[in-house]
Amino acid sequence: MFVTRLLSGIVLVALLLLTIIPGGYILFFPLLCISVIGMFELYRAMEIHKGSVSLLEGAGYFCAVVYYGAVWLDFEKYGMAALLAGLIILMFVYVFTYPKYKADQVMAAFFGLAYVPVMLSFIYLTRNLEGGIFHVWLIFLCSWGCDTCAYCVGVLIGKHKMAPVLSPKKSVEGAVGGVVGAVLLGLIYAAATKGDLPAYGIICGVGALISMVGDLAASAIKRNQEIKDYGTLIPGHGGILDRFDSVIFTAPIIYFLSTLLM
């Protein structure tokens, strides 16, 4: 399992390098595909997808494509409009097929739109910022760096449970170690790229805190739905949402902090 997980991680990092460094449509379209796959995993977990694609589910995917079209054109002008249009489209399906779908299914469908495509789109948006080719890596540095550091510290000295019911293996000591580790990684990265040391440190520290919320949120959904993993797409890791759970929450934070502090 460890070897499989390691090899998958190496391949994943290689794919990130090949898409994020050039940016543009080479990043945009793979990110759109990842978002739709992530939506599918969530819709399946939330029992919106049940063997075949329903009208509500298809509308959700359509809304994701519309939103990404708005991001491609101009996020600041059209992003919110596209998200609101997505809500209206889903409600249109709800009322004109009533009583085929329940209200909680429609809310889950809209949640899937906001939770996966909208949040992940900030990877592309961060890459498009001035200096984004450097800033975008902070998303993964503080998310996966925090996760790795938290695991190591938790194994070594973890005693106090952070969320005993939701995630019994996570400790307060591990969480502190994860945040500190992410800050140190941010400072090292800043020094290596001649970036702003205080800004990178702050961004990675805040991003690490948010990434833990994202990780626990994804775990909470899985526990509520009584599933172990969202999928099997990435060997040794699970599905897209299993690997990008913390990144989903971190990406928007890094984007906004980058615009404020850089």
Side-chain angles (χ1 to χ4, degrees), residues 42 45-46 111 115 166-167 170 210-230 240-249:
L42 185 65
M46 300 296 290
F111 171 73
Y115 180 59
L166 178 57
S167 188
K170 295 186 184 298
I210 299 299
S211 74
M212 288 188 285
V213 177
D215 184 18
L216 291 171
S219 297
I221 294 172
K222 287 191 288 187
R223 284 189 177 273
N224 280 341
Q225 301 305 117
E226 298 181 346
I227 59 174
K228 184 179 183 295
D229 294 315
Y230 284 103
I240 291 295
L241 296 183
D242 294 297
R243 182 64 279 179
F244 286 83
D245 50 5
S246 56
V247 170
I248 285 172
F249 268 56

PDB file of all heavy atoms in Angstrom, residues 42 45-46 111 115 166-167 170 210-230 240-249:
ATOM      1  N   LEU A  42     -18.976  13.045  -5.275  1.00  0.00           N
ATOM      2  CA  LEU A  42     -19.817  13.583  -4.208  1.00  0.00           C
ATOM      3  C   LEU A  42     -21.277  13.239  -4.440  1.00  0.00           C
ATOM      4  O   LEU A  42     -21.996  12.855  -3.504  1.00  0.00           O
ATOM      5  CB  LEU A  42     -19.633  15.096  -4.103  1.00  0.00           C
ATOM      6  CG  LEU A  42     -20.373  15.772  -2.951  1.00  0.00           C
ATOM      7  CD1 LEU A  42     -19.813  15.301  -1.609  1.00  0.00           C
ATOM      8  CD2 LEU A  42     -20.275  17.293  -3.044  1.00  0.00           C
ATOM      9  N   ALA A  45     -21.818   9.759  -3.455  1.00  0.00           N
ATOM     10  CA  ALA A  45     -21.821   9.621  -1.991  1.00  0.00           C
ATOM     11  C   ALA A  45     -23.123  10.141  -1.384  1.00  0.00           C
ATOM     12  O   ALA A  45     -23.651   9.566  -0.428  1.00  0.00           O
ATOM     13  CB  ALA A  45     -20.628  10.364  -1.394  1.00  0.00           C
ATOM     14  N   MET A  46     -23.645  11.228  -1.972  1.00  0.00           N
ATOM     15  CA  MET A  46     -24.874  11.837  -1.459  1.00  0.00           C
ATOM     16  C   MET A  46     -26.130  11.187  -2.038  1.00  0.00           C
ATOM     17  O   MET A  46     -27.242  11.653  -1.800  1.00  0.00           O
ATOM     18  CB  MET A  46     -24.879  13.333  -1.792  1.00  0.00           C
ATOM     19  CG  MET A  46     -23.713  14.107  -1.207  1.00  0.00           C
ATOM     20  SD  MET A  46     -23.683  14.153   0.590  1.00  0.00           S
ATOM     21  CE  MET A  46     -25.087  15.195   0.933  1.00  0.00           C
ATOM     22  N   PHE A 111     -24.818  22.229  -3.441  1.00  0.00           N
ATOM     23  CA  PHE A 111     -23.629  22.132  -2.587  1.00  0.00           C
ATOM     24  C   PHE A 111     -22.466  21.519  -3.359  1.00  0.00           C
ATOM     25  O   PHE A 111     -21.324  21.982  -3.265  1.00  0.00           O
ATOM     26  CB  PHE A 111     -23.943  21.288  -1.354  1.00  0.00           C
ATOM     27  CG  PHE A 111     -22.732  20.959  -0.526  1.00  0.00           C
ATOM     28  CD1 PHE A 111     -22.111  21.926   0.252  1.00  0.00           C
ATOM     29  CD2 PHE A 111     -22.200  19.669  -0.531  1.00  0.00           C
ATOM     30  CE1 PHE A 111     -20.984  21.622   1.009  1.00  0.00           C
ATOM     31  CE2 PHE A 111     -21.089  19.354   0.214  1.00  0.00           C
ATOM     32  CZ  PHE A 111     -20.472  20.330   0.993  1.00  0.00           C
ATOM     33  N   TYR A 115     -19.036  23.331  -3.742  1.00  0.00           N
ATOM     34  CA  TYR A 115     -17.964  22.669  -2.986  1.00  0.00           C
ATOM     35  C   TYR A 115     -16.814  22.203  -3.866  1.00  0.00           C
ATOM     36  O   TYR A 115     -15.652  22.315  -3.486  1.00  0.00           O
ATOM     37  CB  TYR A 115     -18.566  21.483  -2.231  1.00  0.00           C
ATOM     38  CG  TYR A 115     -17.591  20.679  -1.400  1.00  0.00           C
ATOM     39  CD1 TYR A 115     -16.856  21.268  -0.383  1.00  0.00           C
ATOM     40  CD2 TYR A 115     -17.429  19.311  -1.610  1.00  0.00           C
ATOM     41  CE1 TYR A 115     -15.976  20.526   0.394  1.00  0.00           C
ATOM     42  CE2 TYR A 115     -16.555  18.561  -0.840  1.00  0.00           C
ATOM     43  CZ  TYR A 115     -15.832  19.171   0.157  1.00  0.00           C
ATOM     44  OH  TYR A 115     -14.952  18.435   0.927  1.00  0.00           O
ATOM     45  N   LEU A 166     -14.959  12.173  15.153  1.00  0.00           N
ATOM     46  CA  LEU A 166     -14.847  12.289  13.701  1.00  0.00           C
ATOM     47  C   LEU A 166     -13.571  11.647  13.164  1.00  0.00           C
ATOM     48  O   LEU A 166     -13.595  10.913  12.175  1.00  0.00           O
ATOM     49  CB  LEU A 166     -14.896  13.766  13.299  1.00  0.00           C
ATOM     50  CG  LEU A 166     -14.755  14.077  11.807  1.00  0.00           C
ATOM     51  CD1 LEU A 166     -15.828  13.357  11.001  1.00  0.00           C
ATOM     52  CD2 LEU A 166     -14.842  15.586  11.584  1.00  0.00           C
ATOM     53  N   SER A 167     -12.438  11.927  13.797  1.00  0.00           N
ATOM     54  CA  SER A 167     -11.151  11.415  13.312  1.00  0.00           C
ATOM     55  C   SER A 167     -10.264  11.081  14.510  1.00  0.00           C
ATOM     56  O   SER A 167      -9.439  11.900  14.931  1.00  0.00           O
ATOM     57  CB  SER A 167     -10.473  12.459  12.406  1.00  0.00           C
ATOM     58  OG  SER A 167      -9.327  11.926  11.796  1.00  0.00           O
ATOM     59  N   LYS A 170      -6.316  11.805  14.680  1.00  0.00           N
ATOM     60  CA  LYS A 170      -5.754  13.156  14.610  1.00  0.00           C
ATOM     61  C   LYS A 170      -5.620  13.736  16.012  1.00  0.00           C
ATOM     62  O   LYS A 170      -6.540  13.649  16.821  1.00  0.00           O
ATOM     63  CB  LYS A 170      -6.630  14.061  13.741  1.00  0.00           C
ATOM     64  CG  LYS A 170      -6.682  13.633  12.288  1.00  0.00           C
ATOM     65  CD  LYS A 170      -7.424  14.635  11.448  1.00  0.00           C
ATOM     66  CE  LYS A 170      -7.563  14.165  10.005  1.00  0.00           C
ATOM     67  NZ  LYS A 170      -6.265  13.991   9.349  1.00  0.00           N
ATOM     68  N   ILE A 210      -6.898  26.179   7.582  1.00  0.00           N
ATOM     69  CA  ILE A 210      -8.086  25.955   6.766  1.00  0.00           C
ATOM     70  C   ILE A 210      -8.066  24.569   6.145  1.00  0.00           C
ATOM     71  O   ILE A 210      -9.101  23.911   6.008  1.00  0.00           O
ATOM     72  CB  ILE A 210      -8.200  27.032   5.669  1.00  0.00           C
ATOM     73  CG1 ILE A 210      -8.318  28.431   6.305  1.00  0.00           C
ATOM     74  CG2 ILE A 210      -9.393  26.754   4.765  1.00  0.00           C
ATOM     75  CD1 ILE A 210      -9.517  28.620   7.190  1.00  0.00           C
ATOM     76  N   SER A 211      -6.864  24.099   5.769  1.00  0.00           N
ATOM     77  CA  SER A 211      -6.763  22.785   5.120  1.00  0.00           C
ATOM     78  C   SER A 211      -7.238  21.669   6.055  1.00  0.00           C
ATOM     79  O   SER A 211      -7.829  20.688   5.600  1.00  0.00           O
ATOM     80  CB  SER A 211      -5.321  22.513   4.680  1.00  0.00           C
ATOM     81  OG  SER A 211      -4.482  22.205   5.774  1.00  0.00           O
ATOM     82  N   MET A 212      -7.004  21.840   7.353  1.00  0.00           N
ATOM     83  CA  MET A 212      -7.451  20.825   8.315  1.00  0.00           C
ATOM     84  C   MET A 212      -8.973  20.791   8.404  1.00  0.00           C
ATOM     85  O   MET A 212      -9.574  19.727   8.568  1.00  0.00           O
ATOM     86  CB  MET A 212      -6.828  21.088   9.690  1.00  0.00           C
ATOM     87  CG  MET A 212      -5.343  20.764   9.735  1.00  0.00           C
ATOM     88  SD  MET A 212      -4.620  20.851  11.379  1.00  0.00           S
ATOM     89  CE  MET A 212      -4.520  22.622  11.617  1.00  0.00           C
ATOM     90  N   VAL A 213      -9.599  21.960   8.279  1.00  0.00           N
ATOM     91  CA  VAL A 213     -11.063  22.018   8.254  1.00  0.00           C
ATOM     92  C   VAL A 213     -11.581  21.278   7.024  1.00  0.00           C
ATOM     93  O   VAL A 213     -12.550  20.511   7.098  1.00  0.00           O
ATOM     94  CB  VAL A 213     -11.557  23.477   8.245  1.00  0.00           C
ATOM     95  CG1 VAL A 213     -13.085  23.524   8.142  1.00  0.00           C
ATOM     96  CG2 VAL A 213     -11.097  24.203   9.496  1.00  0.00           C
ATOM     97  N   GLY A 214     -10.915  21.505   5.879  1.00  0.00           N
ATOM     98  CA  GLY A 214     -11.316  20.826   4.658  1.00  0.00           C
ATOM     99  C   GLY A 214     -11.184  19.322   4.771  1.00  0.00           C
ATOM    100  O   GLY A 214     -12.066  18.570   4.316  1.00  0.00           O
ATOM    101  N   ASP A 215     -10.100  18.869   5.360  1.00  0.00           N
ATOM    102  CA  ASP A 215      -9.871  17.441   5.548  1.00  0.00           C
ATOM    103  C   ASP A 215     -10.953  16.828   6.432  1.00  0.00           C
ATOM    104  O   ASP A 215     -11.531  15.784   6.113  1.00  0.00           O
ATOM    105  CB  ASP A 215      -8.482  17.247   6.181  1.00  0.00           C
ATOM    106  CG  ASP A 215      -8.107  15.785   6.331  1.00  0.00           C
ATOM    107  OD1 ASP A 215      -8.730  14.933   5.666  1.00  0.00           O
ATOM    108  OD2 ASP A 215      -7.200  15.482   7.120  1.00  0.00           O
ATOM    109  N   LEU A 216     -11.243  17.490   7.545  1.00  0.00           N
ATOM    110  CA  LEU A 216     -12.246  16.975   8.476  1.00  0.00           C
ATOM    111  C   LEU A 216     -13.655  17.055   7.889  1.00  0.00           C
ATOM    112  O   LEU A 216     -14.497  16.184   8.155  1.00  0.00           O
ATOM    113  CB  LEU A 216     -12.178  17.752   9.792  1.00  0.00           C
ATOM    114  CG  LEU A 216     -10.922  17.506  10.637  1.00  0.00           C
ATOM    115  CD1 LEU A 216     -10.851  18.485  11.799  1.00  0.00           C
ATOM    116  CD2 LEU A 216     -10.898  16.068  11.169  1.00  0.00           C
ATOM    117  N   ALA A 217     -13.913  18.097   7.087  1.00  0.00           N
ATOM    118  CA  ALA A 217     -15.237  18.225   6.469  1.00  0.00           C
ATOM    119  C   ALA A 217     -15.499  17.064   5.518  1.00  0.00           C
ATOM    120  O   ALA A 217     -16.592  16.481   5.513  1.00  0.00           O
ATOM    121  CB  ALA A 217     -15.337  19.557   5.719  1.00  0.00           C
ATOM    122  N   ALA A 218     -14.487  16.725   4.714  1.00  0.00           N
ATOM    123  CA  ALA A 218     -14.639  15.600   3.790  1.00  0.00           C
ATOM    124  C   ALA A 218     -14.833  14.292   4.554  1.00  0.00           C
ATOM    125  O   ALA A 218     -15.613  13.430   4.147  1.00  0.00           O
ATOM    126  CB  ALA A 218     -13.411  15.509   2.882  1.00  0.00           C
ATOM    127  N   SER A 219     -14.122  14.152   5.673  1.00  0.00           N
ATOM    128  CA  SER A 219     -14.268  12.956   6.508  1.00  0.00           C
ATOM    129  C   SER A 219     -15.660  12.877   7.120  1.00  0.00           C
ATOM    130  O   SER A 219     -16.250  11.797   7.217  1.00  0.00           O
ATOM    131  CB  SER A 219     -13.206  12.960   7.615  1.00  0.00           C
ATOM    132  OG  SER A 219     -11.904  12.890   7.080  1.00  0.00           O
ATOM    133  N   ALA A 220     -16.178  14.027   7.534  1.00  0.00           N
ATOM    134  CA  ALA A 220     -17.511  14.064   8.137  1.00  0.00           C
ATOM    135  C   ALA A 220     -18.579  13.612   7.140  1.00  0.00           C
ATOM    136  O   ALA A 220     -19.500  12.868   7.486  1.00  0.00           O
ATOM    137  CB  ALA A 220     -17.815  15.473   8.635  1.00  0.00           C
ATOM    138  N   ILE A 221     -18.452  14.072   5.895  1.00  0.00           N
ATOM    139  CA  ILE A 221     -19.419  13.665   4.868  1.00  0.00           C
ATOM    140  C   ILE A 221     -19.354  12.155   4.657  1.00  0.00           C
ATOM    141  O   ILE A 221     -20.384  11.469   4.564  1.00  0.00           O
ATOM    142  CB  ILE A 221     -19.145  14.407   3.549  1.00  0.00           C
ATOM    143  CG1 ILE A 221     -19.412  15.900   3.719  1.00  0.00           C
ATOM    144  CG2 ILE A 221     -20.026  13.838   2.428  1.00  0.00           C
ATOM    145  CD1 ILE A 221     -18.982  16.743   2.526  1.00  0.00           C
ATOM    146  N   LYS A 222     -18.127  11.613   4.593  1.00  0.00           N
ATOM    147  CA  LYS A 222     -17.976  10.171   4.396  1.00  0.00           C
ATOM    148  C   LYS A 222     -18.579   9.383   5.555  1.00  0.00           C
ATOM    149  O   LYS A 222     -19.211   8.342   5.347  1.00  0.00           O
ATOM    150  CB  LYS A 222     -16.492   9.817   4.224  1.00  0.00           C
ATOM    151  CG  LYS A 222     -15.916  10.225   2.885  1.00  0.00           C
ATOM    152  CD  LYS A 222     -14.550   9.639   2.628  1.00  0.00           C
ATOM    153  CE  LYS A 222     -13.481  10.268   3.477  1.00  0.00           C
ATOM    154  NZ  LYS A 222     -12.122   9.801   3.109  1.00  0.00           N
ATOM    155  N   ARG A 223     -18.381   9.870   6.760  1.00  0.00           N
ATOM    156  CA  ARG A 223     -18.944   9.168   7.926  1.00  0.00           C
ATOM    157  C   ARG A 223     -20.469   9.231   7.911  1.00  0.00           C
ATOM    158  O   ARG A 223     -21.142   8.252   8.233  1.00  0.00           O
ATOM    159  CB  ARG A 223     -18.393   9.768   9.217  1.00  0.00           C
ATOM    160  CG  ARG A 223     -16.960   9.344   9.519  1.00  0.00           C
ATOM    161  CD  ARG A 223     -16.529   9.767  10.903  1.00  0.00           C
ATOM    162  NE  ARG A 223     -15.186   9.299  11.201  1.00  0.00           N
ATOM    163  CZ  ARG A 223     -14.894   8.107  11.706  1.00  0.00           C
ATOM    164  NH1 ARG A 223     -15.888   7.250  11.959  1.00  0.00           N
ATOM    165  NH2 ARG A 223     -13.662   7.748  11.957  1.00  0.00           N
ATOM    166  N   ASN A 224     -21.010  10.387   7.552  1.00  0.00           N
ATOM    167  CA  ASN A 224     -22.468  10.505   7.486  1.00  0.00           C
ATOM    168  C   ASN A 224     -23.062   9.568   6.437  1.00  0.00           C
ATOM    169  O   ASN A 224     -24.142   9.009   6.623  1.00  0.00           O
ATOM    170  CB  ASN A 224     -22.869  11.947   7.142  1.00  0.00           C
ATOM    171  CG  ASN A 224     -22.811  12.870   8.341  1.00  0.00           C
ATOM    172  OD1 ASN A 224     -22.814  12.425   9.487  1.00  0.00           O
ATOM    173  ND2 ASN A 224     -22.737  14.161   8.092  1.00  0.00           N
ATOM    174  N   GLN A 225     -22.335   9.406   5.337  1.00  0.00           N
ATOM    175  CA  GLN A 225     -22.822   8.561   4.246  1.00  0.00           C
ATOM    176  C   GLN A 225     -22.347   7.115   4.364  1.00  0.00           C
ATOM    177  O   GLN A 225     -22.658   6.283   3.526  1.00  0.00           O
ATOM    178  CB  GLN A 225     -22.375   9.136   2.900  1.00  0.00           C
ATOM    179  CG  GLN A 225     -22.872  10.557   2.629  1.00  0.00           C
ATOM    180  CD  GLN A 225     -24.368  10.679   2.747  1.00  0.00           C
ATOM    181  OE1 GLN A 225     -24.878  11.403   3.604  1.00  0.00           O
ATOM    182  NE2 GLN A 225     -25.093   9.978   1.895  1.00  0.00           N
ATOM    183  N   GLU A 226     -21.545   6.847   5.406  1.00  0.00           N
ATOM    184  CA  GLU A 226     -21.049   5.500   5.715  1.00  0.00           C
ATOM    185  C   GLU A 226     -20.261   4.896   4.556  1.00  0.00           C
ATOM    186  O   GLU A 226     -20.518   3.776   4.118  1.00  0.00           O
ATOM    187  CB  GLU A 226     -22.223   4.587   6.111  1.00  0.00           C
ATOM    188  CG  GLU A 226     -22.948   5.065   7.364  1.00  0.00           C
ATOM    189  CD  GLU A 226     -24.090   4.143   7.766  1.00  0.00           C
ATOM    190  OE1 GLU A 226     -24.488   3.287   6.940  1.00  0.00           O
ATOM    191  OE2 GLU A 226     -24.579   4.273   8.900  1.00  0.00           O
ATOM    192  N   ILE A 227     -19.298   5.675   4.045  1.00  0.00           N
ATOM    193  CA  ILE A 227     -18.390   5.178   3.018  1.00  0.00           C
ATOM    194  C   ILE A 227     -16.952   5.385   3.481  1.00  0.00           C
ATOM    195  O   ILE A 227     -16.675   6.281   4.282  1.00  0.00           O
ATOM    196  CB  ILE A 227     -18.601   5.886   1.658  1.00  0.00           C
ATOM    197  CG1 ILE A 227     -18.391   7.407   1.804  1.00  0.00           C
ATOM    198  CG2 ILE A 227     -19.982   5.586   1.105  1.00  0.00           C
ATOM    199  CD1 ILE A 227     -18.440   8.152   0.483  1.00  0.00           C
ATOM    200  N   LYS A 228     -16.036   4.572   2.965  1.00  0.00           N
ATOM    201  CA  LYS A 228     -14.626   4.676   3.351  1.00  0.00           C
ATOM    202  C   LYS A 228     -13.894   5.687   2.485  1.00  0.00           C
ATOM    203  O   LYS A 228     -13.145   6.523   2.990  1.00  0.00           O
ATOM    204  CB  LYS A 228     -13.942   3.309   3.244  1.00  0.00           C
ATOM    205  CG  LYS A 228     -12.483   3.311   3.712  1.00  0.00           C
ATOM    206  CD  LYS A 228     -11.886   1.911   3.586  1.00  0.00           C
ATOM    207  CE  LYS A 228     -10.455   1.896   4.132  1.00  0.00           C
ATOM    208  NZ  LYS A 228      -9.535   2.738   3.341  1.00  0.00           N
ATOM    209  N   ASP A 229     -14.082   5.602   1.184  1.00  0.00           N
ATOM    210  CA  ASP A 229     -13.446   6.518   0.242  1.00  0.00           C
ATOM    211  C   ASP A 229     -14.475   7.013  -0.756  1.00  0.00           C
ATOM    212  O   ASP A 229     -15.504   6.383  -0.994  1.00  0.00           O
ATOM    213  CB  ASP A 229     -12.304   5.822  -0.518  1.00  0.00           C
ATOM    214  CG  ASP A 229     -11.139   5.439   0.386  1.00  0.00           C
ATOM    215  OD1 ASP A 229     -10.726   6.278   1.206  1.00  0.00           O
ATOM    216  OD2 ASP A 229     -10.661   4.293   0.273  1.00  0.00           O
ATOM    217  N   TYR A 230     -14.165   8.145  -1.373  1.00  0.00           N
ATOM    218  CA  TYR A 230     -15.055   8.696  -2.385  1.00  0.00           C
ATOM    219  C   TYR A 230     -14.939   7.959  -3.709  1.00  0.00           C
ATOM    220  O   TYR A 230     -15.861   7.970  -4.524  1.00  0.00           O
ATOM    221  CB  TYR A 230     -14.756  10.180  -2.605  1.00  0.00           C
ATOM    222  CG  TYR A 230     -15.286  11.074  -1.512  1.00  0.00           C
ATOM    223  CD1 TYR A 230     -14.435  11.605  -0.543  1.00  0.00           C
ATOM    224  CD2 TYR A 230     -16.635  11.394  -1.436  1.00  0.00           C
ATOM    225  CE1 TYR A 230     -14.909  12.434   0.463  1.00  0.00           C
ATOM    226  CE2 TYR A 230     -17.131  12.222  -0.434  1.00  0.00           C
ATOM    227  CZ  TYR A 230     -16.265  12.737   0.512  1.00  0.00           C
ATOM    228  OH  TYR A 230     -16.748  13.551   1.509  1.00  0.00           O
ATOM    229  N   ILE A 240     -10.777  11.583  -6.216  1.00  0.00           N
ATOM    230  CA  ILE A 240     -10.349  12.977  -6.311  1.00  0.00           C
ATOM    231  C   ILE A 240     -10.591  13.705  -4.990  1.00  0.00           C
ATOM    232  O   ILE A 240      -9.724  14.426  -4.484  1.00  0.00           O
ATOM    233  CB  ILE A 240     -11.114  13.700  -7.446  1.00  0.00           C
ATOM    234  CG1 ILE A 240     -10.675  13.163  -8.818  1.00  0.00           C
ATOM    235  CG2 ILE A 240     -10.920  15.218  -7.369  1.00  0.00           C
ATOM    236  CD1 ILE A 240      -9.229  13.455  -9.161  1.00  0.00           C
ATOM    237  N   LEU A 241     -11.764  13.518  -4.410  1.00  0.00           N
ATOM    238  CA  LEU A 241     -12.090  14.220  -3.169  1.00  0.00           C
ATOM    239  C   LEU A 241     -11.260  13.718  -1.992  1.00  0.00           C
ATOM    240  O   LEU A 241     -11.030  14.468  -1.036  1.00  0.00           O
ATOM    241  CB  LEU A 241     -13.581  14.080  -2.853  1.00  0.00           C
ATOM    242  CG  LEU A 241     -14.541  14.726  -3.849  1.00  0.00           C
ATOM    243  CD1 LEU A 241     -15.978  14.585  -3.371  1.00  0.00           C
ATOM    244  CD2 LEU A 241     -14.194  16.189  -4.069  1.00  0.00           C
ATOM    245  N   ASP A 242     -10.811  12.472  -2.034  1.00  0.00           N
ATOM    246  CA  ASP A 242      -9.961  11.955  -0.965  1.00  0.00           C
ATOM    247  C   ASP A 242      -8.586  12.609  -0.983  1.00  0.00           C
ATOM    248  O   ASP A 242      -7.979  12.821   0.063  1.00  0.00           O
ATOM    249  CB  ASP A 242      -9.798  10.432  -1.105  1.00  0.00           C
ATOM    250  CG  ASP A 242     -11.097   9.693  -0.893  1.00  0.00           C
ATOM    251  OD1 ASP A 242     -11.640   9.767   0.215  1.00  0.00           O
ATOM    252  OD2 ASP A 242     -11.580   9.045  -1.840  1.00  0.00           O
ATOM    253  N   ARG A 243      -8.089  12.932  -2.172  1.00  0.00           N
ATOM    254  CA  ARG A 243      -6.761  13.520  -2.297  1.00  0.00           C
ATOM    255  C   ARG A 243      -6.797  15.042  -2.266  1.00  0.00           C
ATOM    256  O   ARG A 243      -5.855  15.689  -1.804  1.00  0.00           O
ATOM    257  CB  ARG A 243      -6.103  13.051  -3.599  1.00  0.00           C
ATOM    258  CG  ARG A 243      -4.694  13.552  -3.855  1.00  0.00           C
ATOM    259  CD  ARG A 243      -3.684  13.065  -2.827  1.00  0.00           C
ATOM    260  NE  ARG A 243      -3.699  13.852  -1.600  1.00  0.00           N
ATOM    261  CZ  ARG A 243      -2.928  13.626  -0.556  1.00  0.00           C
ATOM    262  NH1 ARG A 243      -2.091  12.617  -0.545  1.00  0.00           N
ATOM    263  NH2 ARG A 243      -3.001  14.390   0.514  1.00  0.00           N
ATOM    264  N   PHE A 244      -7.898  15.627  -2.746  1.00  0.00           N
ATOM    265  CA  PHE A 244      -7.979  17.083  -2.842  1.00  0.00           C
ATOM    266  C   PHE A 244      -8.894  17.690  -1.773  1.00  0.00           C
ATOM    267  O   PHE A 244      -9.268  18.859  -1.894  1.00  0.00           O
ATOM    268  CB  PHE A 244      -8.476  17.489  -4.233  1.00  0.00           C
ATOM    269  CG  PHE A 244      -7.441  17.323  -5.320  1.00  0.00           C
ATOM    270  CD1 PHE A 244      -7.248  16.092  -5.922  1.00  0.00           C
ATOM    271  CD2 PHE A 244      -6.667  18.389  -5.727  1.00  0.00           C
ATOM    272  CE1 PHE A 244      -6.299  15.933  -6.923  1.00  0.00           C
ATOM    273  CE2 PHE A 244      -5.722  18.246  -6.724  1.00  0.00           C
ATOM    274  CZ  PHE A 244      -5.530  17.001  -7.323  1.00  0.00           C
ATOM    275  N   ASP A 245      -9.235  16.921  -0.750  1.00  0.00           N
ATOM    276  CA  ASP A 245     -10.174  17.428   0.266  1.00  0.00           C
ATOM    277  C   ASP A 245      -9.676  18.702   0.944  1.00  0.00           C
ATOM    278  O   ASP A 245     -10.434  19.649   1.145  1.00  0.00           O
ATOM    279  CB  ASP A 245     -10.493  16.350   1.304  1.00  0.00           C
ATOM    280  CG  ASP A 245      -9.254  15.684   1.881  1.00  0.00           C
ATOM    281  OD1 ASP A 245      -8.127  16.099   1.560  1.00  0.00           O
ATOM    282  OD2 ASP A 245      -9.418  14.719   2.661  1.00  0.00           O
ATOM    283  N   SER A 246      -8.397  18.734   1.308  1.00  0.00           N
ATOM    284  CA  SER A 246      -7.844  19.926   1.956  1.00  0.00           C
ATOM    285  C   SER A 246      -7.566  21.030   0.939  1.00  0.00           C
ATOM    286  O   SER A 246      -7.733  22.217   1.240  1.00  0.00           O
ATOM    287  CB  SER A 246      -6.565  19.579   2.715  1.00  0.00           C
ATOM    288  OG  SER A 246      -5.603  18.963   1.875  1.00  0.00           O
ATOM    289  N   VAL A 247      -7.181  20.653  -0.268  1.00  0.00           N
ATOM    290  CA  VAL A 247      -6.895  21.630  -1.325  1.00  0.00           C
ATOM    291  C   VAL A 247      -8.158  22.418  -1.676  1.00  0.00           C
ATOM    292  O   VAL A 247      -8.104  23.622  -1.948  1.00  0.00           O
ATOM    293  CB  VAL A 247      -6.339  20.912  -2.577  1.00  0.00           C
ATOM    294  CG1 VAL A 247      -6.254  21.869  -3.769  1.00  0.00           C
ATOM    295  CG2 VAL A 247      -4.964  20.331  -2.278  1.00  0.00           C
ATOM    296  N   ILE A 248      -9.302  21.746  -1.663  1.00  0.00           N
ATOM    297  CA  ILE A 248     -10.571  22.390  -1.993  1.00  0.00           C
ATOM    298  C   ILE A 248     -10.816  23.614  -1.115  1.00  0.00           C
ATOM    299  O   ILE A 248     -11.240  24.670  -1.599  1.00  0.00           O
ATOM    300  CB  ILE A 248     -11.737  21.388  -1.856  1.00  0.00           C
ATOM    301  CG1 ILE A 248     -11.730  20.417  -3.043  1.00  0.00           C
ATOM    302  CG2 ILE A 248     -13.084  22.097  -1.765  1.00  0.00           C
ATOM    303  CD1 ILE A 248     -12.720  19.282  -2.913  1.00  0.00           C
ATOM    304  N   PHE A 249     -10.531  23.490   0.166  1.00  0.00           N
ATOM    305  CA  PHE A 249     -10.749  24.598   1.089  1.00  0.00           C
ATOM    306  C   PHE A 249      -9.612  25.621   1.027  1.00  0.00           C
ATOM    307  O   PHE A 249      -9.830  26.819   1.234  1.00  0.00           O
ATOM    308  CB  PHE A 249     -10.874  24.067   2.524  1.00  0.00           C
ATOM    309  CG  PHE A 249     -12.277  23.766   2.937  1.00  0.00           C
ATOM    310  CD1 PHE A 249     -13.068  22.896   2.201  1.00  0.00           C
ATOM    311  CD2 PHE A 249     -12.827  24.335   4.071  1.00  0.00           C
ATOM    312  CE1 PHE A 249     -14.364  22.600   2.574  1.00  0.00           C
ATOM    313  CE2 PHE A 249     -14.128  24.057   4.458  1.00  0.00           C
ATOM    314  CZ  PHE A 249     -14.903  23.182   3.706  1.00  0.00           C
TER     315      PHE A 249
END
